[in-house]
Amino acid sequence: MGRSIEASWLMVMGVEMRYRSLAVATGLGVEGRNFVTKGNRYFHKNPDGRISLEPYADYMTDRRSRINVFSLEVPVLCTLSFGPKDRWGVTFGPVVNFNTSANIKTQYKVGDESYSIKSSGIAQAPVTVDALLSVHYNGIGLYARYSPMDVLKNSTAMDFGAFSTGITLSF
């Protein structure tokens, strides 16, 4: 966390059922995630499809490597509103991600020359499920998102999930 970035529009379109201070909503959203390495290693796609962390050469500077995953997401969220005029709320539930594309991008400098290497088709897991929890007041809040499933297929030999936190805005 800290170097990696997640941008999500959780409900581009959707439906909501409401009964008093309880609401259940589902819809369709989009998400992009960047998983960034830190230290002196970069993501490398091998000819056999496996992904490994390789060391940068000592002469390389301004180094950055990331895996980017784009997803269409289907959230199924429950919101409990409370407080004066129901301005406070807690939202929770699963988010199903249909991971449509993924790539690796590595950037570095050698002397004054900048280099950028991009590898597409890195075998993302086609479907993953996350757990989302948000606490909000008047449409502004904080969220935590836990992704226990591997982001990439087992054939890549790169097993990792994610845990992210951030700010939510709802209109």
Side-chain angles (χ1 to χ4, degrees), residues 72-94:
L72 294 175
E73 51 188 11
V74 178
V76 180
L77 302 175
C78 218
T79 299
L80 180 60
S81 301
F82 55 92
K85 297 183 183 179
D86 284 342
R87 290 185 177 168
W88 284 93
V90 174
T91 300
F92 58 93

PDB file of all heavy atoms in Angstrom, residues 72-94:
ATOM      1  N   LEU A  72     -14.424  -4.922 -14.966  1.00  0.00           N
ATOM      2  CA  LEU A  72     -15.835  -4.549 -14.864  1.00  0.00           C
ATOM      3  C   LEU A  72     -16.288  -5.183 -13.564  1.00  0.00           C
ATOM      4  O   LEU A  72     -15.979  -6.349 -13.298  1.00  0.00           O
ATOM      5  CB  LEU A  72     -16.642  -5.104 -16.036  1.00  0.00           C
ATOM      6  CG  LEU A  72     -16.298  -4.520 -17.393  1.00  0.00           C
ATOM      7  CD1 LEU A  72     -17.072  -5.243 -18.486  1.00  0.00           C
ATOM      8  CD2 LEU A  72     -16.584  -3.030 -17.438  1.00  0.00           C
ATOM      9  N   GLU A  73     -16.996  -4.437 -12.732  1.00  0.00           N
ATOM     10  CA  GLU A  73     -17.352  -4.964 -11.414  1.00  0.00           C
ATOM     11  C   GLU A  73     -18.848  -4.908 -11.173  1.00  0.00           C
ATOM     12  O   GLU A  73     -19.532  -4.001 -11.639  1.00  0.00           O
ATOM     13  CB  GLU A  73     -16.577  -4.257 -10.310  1.00  0.00           C
ATOM     14  CG  GLU A  73     -16.620  -2.762 -10.331  1.00  0.00           C
ATOM     15  CD  GLU A  73     -15.672  -2.129  -9.335  1.00  0.00           C
ATOM     16  OE1 GLU A  73     -14.817  -2.814  -8.750  1.00  0.00           O
ATOM     17  OE2 GLU A  73     -15.798  -0.927  -9.124  1.00  0.00           O
ATOM     18  N   VAL A  74     -19.312  -5.930 -10.453  1.00  0.00           N
ATOM     19  CA  VAL A  74     -20.723  -6.019 -10.074  1.00  0.00           C
ATOM     20  C   VAL A  74     -20.780  -6.064  -8.545  1.00  0.00           C
ATOM     21  O   VAL A  74     -20.552  -7.116  -7.941  1.00  0.00           O
ATOM     22  CB  VAL A  74     -21.397  -7.266 -10.685  1.00  0.00           C
ATOM     23  CG1 VAL A  74     -22.850  -7.362 -10.224  1.00  0.00           C
ATOM     24  CG2 VAL A  74     -21.306  -7.248 -12.200  1.00  0.00           C
ATOM     25  N   PRO A  75     -21.065  -4.929  -7.911  1.00  0.00           N
ATOM     26  CA  PRO A  75     -21.182  -4.912  -6.451  1.00  0.00           C
ATOM     27  C   PRO A  75     -22.592  -5.341  -6.017  1.00  0.00           C
ATOM     28  O   PRO A  75     -23.572  -5.107  -6.727  1.00  0.00           O
ATOM     29  CB  PRO A  75     -20.937  -3.442  -6.102  1.00  0.00           C
ATOM     30  CG  PRO A  75     -21.383  -2.699  -7.317  1.00  0.00           C
ATOM     31  CD  PRO A  75     -21.122  -3.590  -8.491  1.00  0.00           C
ATOM     32  N   VAL A  76     -22.662  -5.982  -4.878  1.00  0.00           N
ATOM     33  CA  VAL A  76     -23.939  -6.287  -4.224  1.00  0.00           C
ATOM     34  C   VAL A  76     -23.773  -5.759  -2.798  1.00  0.00           C
ATOM     35  O   VAL A  76     -23.193  -6.426  -1.946  1.00  0.00           O
ATOM     36  CB  VAL A  76     -24.253  -7.798  -4.231  1.00  0.00           C
ATOM     37  CG1 VAL A  76     -25.588  -8.060  -3.549  1.00  0.00           C
ATOM     38  CG2 VAL A  76     -24.239  -8.352  -5.648  1.00  0.00           C
ATOM     39  N   LEU A  77     -24.275  -4.544  -2.565  1.00  0.00           N
ATOM     40  CA  LEU A  77     -23.956  -3.829  -1.332  1.00  0.00           C
ATOM     41  C   LEU A  77     -25.184  -3.539  -0.487  1.00  0.00           C
ATOM     42  O   LEU A  77     -26.252  -3.216  -1.003  1.00  0.00           O
ATOM     43  CB  LEU A  77     -23.252  -2.513  -1.670  1.00  0.00           C
ATOM     44  CG  LEU A  77     -21.971  -2.645  -2.481  1.00  0.00           C
ATOM     45  CD1 LEU A  77     -21.437  -1.276  -2.858  1.00  0.00           C
ATOM     46  CD2 LEU A  77     -20.939  -3.438  -1.722  1.00  0.00           C
ATOM     47  N   CYS A  78     -24.982  -3.637   0.794  1.00  0.00           N
ATOM     48  CA  CYS A  78     -26.001  -3.339   1.791  1.00  0.00           C
ATOM     49  C   CYS A  78     -25.561  -2.070   2.517  1.00  0.00           C
ATOM     50  O   CYS A  78     -24.394  -1.967   2.912  1.00  0.00           O
ATOM     51  CB  CYS A  78     -26.038  -4.490   2.769  1.00  0.00           C
ATOM     52  SG  CYS A  78     -27.642  -4.927   3.324  1.00  0.00           S
ATOM     53  N   THR A  79     -26.468  -1.109   2.685  1.00  0.00           N
ATOM     54  CA  THR A  79     -26.152   0.121   3.404  1.00  0.00           C
ATOM     55  C   THR A  79     -27.120   0.296   4.558  1.00  0.00           C
ATOM     56  O   THR A  79     -28.340   0.201   4.374  1.00  0.00           O
ATOM     57  CB  THR A  79     -26.232   1.351   2.472  1.00  0.00           C
ATOM     58  OG1 THR A  79     -25.286   1.192   1.419  1.00  0.00           O
ATOM     59  CG2 THR A  79     -25.913   2.635   3.227  1.00  0.00           C
ATOM     60  N   LEU A  80     -26.578   0.540   5.713  1.00  0.00           N
ATOM     61  CA  LEU A  80     -27.366   0.838   6.898  1.00  0.00           C
ATOM     62  C   LEU A  80     -27.114   2.298   7.245  1.00  0.00           C
ATOM     63  O   LEU A  80     -25.984   2.694   7.546  1.00  0.00           O
ATOM     64  CB  LEU A  80     -26.961  -0.063   8.065  1.00  0.00           C
ATOM     65  CG  LEU A  80     -27.704   0.147   9.367  1.00  0.00           C
ATOM     66  CD1 LEU A  80     -29.201  -0.093   9.180  1.00  0.00           C
ATOM     67  CD2 LEU A  80     -27.155  -0.752  10.445  1.00  0.00           C
ATOM     68  N   SER A  81     -28.146   3.122   7.183  1.00  0.00           N
ATOM     69  CA  SER A  81     -28.034   4.553   7.498  1.00  0.00           C
ATOM     70  C   SER A  81     -28.500   4.792   8.930  1.00  0.00           C
ATOM     71  O   SER A  81     -29.405   4.121   9.418  1.00  0.00           O
ATOM     72  CB  SER A  81     -28.893   5.369   6.536  1.00  0.00           C
ATOM     73  OG  SER A  81     -28.484   5.151   5.216  1.00  0.00           O
ATOM     74  N   PHE A  82     -27.889   5.782   9.582  1.00  0.00           N
ATOM     75  CA  PHE A  82     -28.266   6.080  10.964  1.00  0.00           C
ATOM     76  C   PHE A  82     -27.880   7.520  11.292  1.00  0.00           C
ATOM     77  O   PHE A  82     -27.293   8.217  10.475  1.00  0.00           O
ATOM     78  CB  PHE A  82     -27.605   5.091  11.940  1.00  0.00           C
ATOM     79  CG  PHE A  82     -26.111   5.021  11.828  1.00  0.00           C
ATOM     80  CD1 PHE A  82     -25.302   5.817  12.618  1.00  0.00           C
ATOM     81  CD2 PHE A  82     -25.513   4.143  10.936  1.00  0.00           C
ATOM     82  CE1 PHE A  82     -23.930   5.756  12.521  1.00  0.00           C
ATOM     83  CE2 PHE A  82     -24.129   4.071  10.832  1.00  0.00           C
ATOM     84  CZ  PHE A  82     -23.346   4.870  11.633  1.00  0.00           C
ATOM     85  N   GLY A  83     -28.192   7.921  12.491  1.00  0.00           N
ATOM     86  CA  GLY A  83     -27.879   9.271  12.949  1.00  0.00           C
ATOM     87  C   GLY A  83     -28.943  10.265  12.531  1.00  0.00           C
ATOM     88  O   GLY A  83     -29.931   9.910  11.887  1.00  0.00           O
ATOM     89  N   PRO A  84     -28.742  11.534  12.895  1.00  0.00           N
ATOM     90  CA  PRO A  84     -29.708  12.569  12.512  1.00  0.00           C
ATOM     91  C   PRO A  84     -29.874  12.627  10.994  1.00  0.00           C
ATOM     92  O   PRO A  84     -28.905  12.708  10.254  1.00  0.00           O
ATOM     93  CB  PRO A  84     -29.091  13.863  13.043  1.00  0.00           C
ATOM     94  CG  PRO A  84     -28.064  13.447  14.038  1.00  0.00           C
ATOM     95  CD  PRO A  84     -27.624  12.073  13.655  1.00  0.00           C
ATOM     96  N   LYS A  85     -31.107  12.524  10.540  1.00  0.00           N
ATOM     97  CA  LYS A  85     -31.460  12.562   9.112  1.00  0.00           C
ATOM     98  C   LYS A  85     -30.724  11.497   8.296  1.00  0.00           C
ATOM     99  O   LYS A  85     -30.490  11.666   7.110  1.00  0.00           O
ATOM    100  CB  LYS A  85     -31.203  13.947   8.530  1.00  0.00           C
ATOM    101  CG  LYS A  85     -32.052  15.025   9.170  1.00  0.00           C
ATOM    102  CD  LYS A  85     -31.816  16.360   8.511  1.00  0.00           C
ATOM    103  CE  LYS A  85     -32.641  17.433   9.225  1.00  0.00           C
ATOM    104  NZ  LYS A  85     -32.427  18.750   8.645  1.00  0.00           N
ATOM    105  N   ASP A  86     -30.342  10.388   8.948  1.00  0.00           N
ATOM    106  CA  ASP A  86     -29.654   9.276   8.270  1.00  0.00           C
ATOM    107  C   ASP A  86     -28.426   9.728   7.484  1.00  0.00           C
ATOM    108  O   ASP A  86     -28.119   9.216   6.413  1.00  0.00           O
ATOM    109  CB  ASP A  86     -30.618   8.512   7.351  1.00  0.00           C
ATOM    110  CG  ASP A  86     -31.558   7.604   8.112  1.00  0.00           C
ATOM    111  OD1 ASP A  86     -31.263   7.304   9.290  1.00  0.00           O
ATOM    112  OD2 ASP A  86     -32.571   7.194   7.536  1.00  0.00           O
ATOM    113  N   ARG A  87     -27.693  10.685   8.016  1.00  0.00           N
ATOM    114  CA  ARG A  87     -26.511  11.188   7.311  1.00  0.00           C
ATOM    115  C   ARG A  87     -25.310  10.261   7.419  1.00  0.00           C
ATOM    116  O   ARG A  87     -24.411  10.295   6.593  1.00  0.00           O
ATOM    117  CB  ARG A  87     -26.143  12.580   7.805  1.00  0.00           C
ATOM    118  CG  ARG A  87     -27.158  13.606   7.359  1.00  0.00           C
ATOM    119  CD  ARG A  87     -26.742  14.989   7.737  1.00  0.00           C
ATOM    120  NE  ARG A  87     -27.728  15.945   7.227  1.00  0.00           N
ATOM    121  CZ  ARG A  87     -27.770  17.195   7.572  1.00  0.00           C
ATOM    122  NH1 ARG A  87     -26.886  17.671   8.423  1.00  0.00           N
ATOM    123  NH2 ARG A  87     -28.678  17.999   7.073  1.00  0.00           N
ATOM    124  N   TRP A  88     -25.263   9.453   8.456  1.00  0.00           N
ATOM    125  CA  TRP A  88     -24.185   8.476   8.634  1.00  0.00           C
ATOM    126  C   TRP A  88     -24.595   7.172   7.975  1.00  0.00           C
ATOM    127  O   TRP A  88     -25.771   6.842   7.898  1.00  0.00           O
ATOM    128  CB  TRP A  88     -23.920   8.223  10.113  1.00  0.00           C
ATOM    129  CG  TRP A  88     -23.172   9.327  10.779  1.00  0.00           C
ATOM    130  CD1 TRP A  88     -23.700  10.386  11.446  1.00  0.00           C
ATOM    131  CD2 TRP A  88     -21.767   9.485  10.833  1.00  0.00           C
ATOM    132  NE1 TRP A  88     -22.704  11.194  11.908  1.00  0.00           N
ATOM    133  CE2 TRP A  88     -21.496  10.657  11.549  1.00  0.00           C
ATOM    134  CE3 TRP A  88     -20.696   8.746  10.344  1.00  0.00           C
ATOM    135  CZ2 TRP A  88     -20.211  11.109  11.786  1.00  0.00           C
ATOM    136  CZ3 TRP A  88     -19.410   9.191  10.587  1.00  0.00           C
ATOM    137  CH2 TRP A  88     -19.178  10.370  11.300  1.00  0.00           C
ATOM    138  N   GLY A  89     -23.610   6.410   7.519  1.00  0.00           N
ATOM    139  CA  GLY A  89     -23.931   5.122   6.935  1.00  0.00           C
ATOM    140  C   GLY A  89     -22.755   4.166   6.952  1.00  0.00           C
ATOM    141  O   GLY A  89     -21.599   4.575   6.995  1.00  0.00           O
ATOM    142  N   VAL A  90     -23.092   2.878   6.918  1.00  0.00           N
ATOM    143  CA  VAL A  90     -22.109   1.810   6.786  1.00  0.00           C
ATOM    144  C   VAL A  90     -22.546   0.979   5.593  1.00  0.00           C
ATOM    145  O   VAL A  90     -23.706   0.557   5.526  1.00  0.00           O
ATOM    146  CB  VAL A  90     -22.037   0.933   8.054  1.00  0.00           C
ATOM    147  CG1 VAL A  90     -21.110  -0.252   7.841  1.00  0.00           C
ATOM    148  CG2 VAL A  90     -21.598   1.749   9.252  1.00  0.00           C
ATOM    149  N   THR A  91     -21.649   0.781   4.657  1.00  0.00           N
ATOM    150  CA  THR A  91     -21.933  -0.009   3.464  1.00  0.00           C
ATOM    151  C   THR A  91     -20.984  -1.193   3.443  1.00  0.00           C
ATOM    152  O   THR A  91     -19.791  -1.041   3.724  1.00  0.00           O
ATOM    153  CB  THR A  91     -21.742   0.841   2.187  1.00  0.00           C
ATOM    154  OG1 THR A  91     -22.640   1.948   2.238  1.00  0.00           O
ATOM    155  CG2 THR A  91     -22.003   0.034   0.935  1.00  0.00           C
ATOM    156  N   PHE A  92     -21.501  -2.365   3.109  1.00  0.00           N
ATOM    157  CA  PHE A  92     -20.663  -3.566   3.067  1.00  0.00           C
ATOM    158  C   PHE A  92     -21.236  -4.566   2.074  1.00  0.00           C
ATOM    159  O   PHE A  92     -22.423  -4.520   1.743  1.00  0.00           O
ATOM    160  CB  PHE A  92     -20.562  -4.204   4.459  1.00  0.00           C
ATOM    161  CG  PHE A  92     -21.897  -4.573   5.042  1.00  0.00           C
ATOM    162  CD1 PHE A  92     -22.423  -5.839   4.863  1.00  0.00           C
ATOM    163  CD2 PHE A  92     -22.637  -3.636   5.756  1.00  0.00           C
ATOM    164  CE1 PHE A  92     -23.665  -6.174   5.397  1.00  0.00           C
ATOM    165  CE2 PHE A  92     -23.876  -3.958   6.299  1.00  0.00           C
ATOM    166  CZ  PHE A  92     -24.382  -5.234   6.112  1.00  0.00           C
ATOM    167  N   GLY A  93     -20.381  -5.447   1.597  1.00  0.00           N
ATOM    168  CA  GLY A  93     -20.829  -6.514   0.712  1.00  0.00           C
ATOM    169  C   GLY A  93     -19.752  -6.951  -0.257  1.00  0.00           C
ATOM    170  O   GLY A  93     -18.663  -6.374  -0.326  1.00  0.00           O
ATOM    171  N   PRO A  94     -20.073  -7.974  -1.057  1.00  0.00           N
ATOM    172  CA  PRO A  94     -19.114  -8.478  -2.041  1.00  0.00           C
ATOM    173  C   PRO A  94     -19.131  -7.650  -3.327  1.00  0.00           C
ATOM    174  O   PRO A  94     -20.132  -7.028  -3.677  1.00  0.00           O
ATOM    175  CB  PRO A  94     -19.611  -9.895  -2.315  1.00  0.00           C
ATOM    176  CG  PRO A  94     -21.091  -9.802  -2.105  1.00  0.00           C
ATOM    177  CD  PRO A  94     -21.277  -8.807  -0.980  1.00  0.00           C
TER     178      PRO A  94
END
